[in-house]
């Protein structure tokens, strides 16, 4: 499956986003970030995130608006397709698979 949005997260930040599974219906990424780590602007299709650990990210949209996303360990959330830059704000390492 090819994602036809702006820069693919796996291509933009291979040190953060790892492709775990992909077929014609779903794509699963494992996202690992260190405190202060960031990625260039990239896109995700509609997605589900499951947080293995507590994680906090500052997410910056193309228009410069930044929001802080705090996701507690064990939480599962749905997000619409998005394009953004990501900066890891928390002081602990994260590991959270998403699709």
């Amino acid at each position: 499956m090819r994602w036809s949005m702006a820069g693919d997260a796996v291509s933009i930040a291979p040190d953060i986003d790892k492709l775990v599974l992909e077929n014609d219906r779903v794509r699963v990424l494992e996202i690992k970030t260190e405190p202060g780590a960031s990625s260039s602007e990239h896109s995700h299709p509609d997605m589900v995130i499951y947080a293995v650990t507590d994680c906090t990210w500052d997410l910056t949209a193309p228009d410069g608006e930044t929001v802080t996303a705090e996701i507690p360990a064990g939480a599962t959330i749905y997000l619409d397709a998005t394009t953004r830059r990501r900066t890891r704000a928390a002081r602990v390492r994260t590991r959270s698979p998403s699709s």
Side-chain angles (χ1 to χ4, degrees):
M1 172 181 283
R2 296 188 55 108
W3 304 101
S4 60
M5 301 174 72
D8 176 63
V10 175
S11 299
I12 298 292
D15 56 323
I16 294 174
D17 298 283
K18 176 184 171 189
L19 182 63
V20 176
L21 170 77
E22 183 174 36
N23 60 37
D24 62 341
R25 300 190 63 167
V26 68
R27 186 177 201 212
V28 178
L29 303 182
E30 179 177 42
I31 302 170
K32 293 182 181 180
T33 56
E34 298 290 341
S38 63
S39 63
S40 299
E41 187 172 291
H42 62 281
S43 295
H44 289 280
D46 294 345
M47 68 183 116
V48 174
I49 296 174
Y50 174 76
V52 176
T53 62
D54 291 343
C55 48
T56 302
W57 290 305
D58 292 327
L59 307 173
T60 305
D63 66 4
E65 179 183 356
T66 298
V67 298
T68 298
E70 295 182 17
I71 307 169
T76 301
I77 62 170
Y78 168 83
L79 295 173
D80 288 328
T82 184
T83 297
R84 60 167 188 311
R85 291 189 318 267
R86 166 184 54 210
T87 302
R88 179 77 172 102
R91 292 177 171 73
V92 297
R93 185 176 184 183
T94 66
R95 180 178 182 270
S96 62
S98 68
S99 65

